Amino acid sequence: MSAVILFLAVIAAIAGWWLLQQRLTAKPWLEEGPAGQFPGGDTMTWPAAKIGLGVFLAVASALFVLFISAYSMRMNVVDWRALPVPRLLWLNTGVLVLSSVALQWSYMAARRHDVEDVMIGLLAGGASAVIFLAGQLLAWQQLNAAGYFVASNPANSFFYLLTAVHGLHLTGGLVALGRTSAKVWRSPKSADMRLSVELCAIYWHFLLLVWLVLLGLLTGWTDDFVNICRQLLS
């Protein structure tokens, strides 16, 4: 359960920081139009797409919390035999970090209205995400070759389940990323181009955060970190 609490705390911290950024970056004195129609007014209204993404991330977070909670409880049963985590996962993690950085680069370029850098960031982020997924499949292949099959042990089943669910979310993100890239290509100066890139960047950062938590859970690092924090606070 400590891993669940840590995950919720990190999600809450990131959400709070993001909401604060929305308020700090709002410049109502530069906006035109009726009050309440722009961030920072008497009634702050957000685009429907951003609200929808927030709801989706909340649902996805709840789903991962349930999986993590089940993992934490199941690993205390006597038939649990942890499988060795492939070293390839660390390389995959680095690739996913690069993907998230590329999306952030693209968003910053969108704020500067630099369409060329926006496309470079989107393509680099998408390519890195595809490499990450290919690396995850290769890690599965390595485990299968070593005899760690899905149904041979509960730990194996959870490993494949957690990585598969995360991979499916990333695959869905690639679809959205492709649509955003097409939108930037067709209408580079459209008003909602920056918003689309921003939503992709937020989603990628979320997936990176979830993966880091899952990696810490699978390697046992999360529980060690929580124990260290408890010792420091005690």
Side-chain angles (χ1 to χ4, degrees), residues 13 20-21 34 36 38-39 53 59 62 67 79 82 98 112-113 116 142 159 163 193 204 212 216 220-221 232:
L20 182 61
Q21 287 294 106
F38 52 86
L53 178 63
V59 174
F67 282 135
D79 64 342
L98 292 177
R112 301 191 307 268
H113 303 286
E116 182 178 354
Q142 291 178 352
F159 176 87
T163 53
M193 183 269 288
W204 246 250
L212 292 177
W221 175 85
L232 294 176

Side-chain angles (χ1 to χ4, degrees), residues 107-193:
Y107 169 60
M108 298 302 294
R111 296 181 61 180
R112 301 191 307 268
H113 303 286
D114 189 340
V115 179
E116 182 178 354
D117 281 354
V118 170
M119 286 301 301
I120 292 175
L122 292 177
L123 293 176
S128 300
V130 171
I131 294 174
F132 172 82
L133 291 175
Q136 295 293 81
L137 292 176
L138 182 57
W140 281 13
Q141 185 179 12
Q142 291 178 352
L143 289 173
N144 274 274
Y148 295 97
F149 304 109
V150 177
S152 57
N153 184 264
N156 300 4
S157 301
F158 268 101
F159 176 87
Y160 288 105
L161 175 63
L162 293 174
T163 53
V165 172
H166 180 267
L168 287 175
H169 280 77
L170 188 58
T171 302
L174 283 173
V175 175
L177 186 62
R179 295 180 61 182
T180 298
S181 300
K183 181 184 299 184
V184 174
W185 181 265
R186 292 193 307 266
S187 306
K189 296 184 179 180
S190 62
D192 60 340
M193 183 269 288

Side-chain angles (χ1 to χ4, degrees), residues 22 29 48 72 82 86 94 105 201-202 225-226:
Q22 299 299 312
W29 57 88
S72 301
W105 166 273
I202 293 172
F225 176 77
V226 172

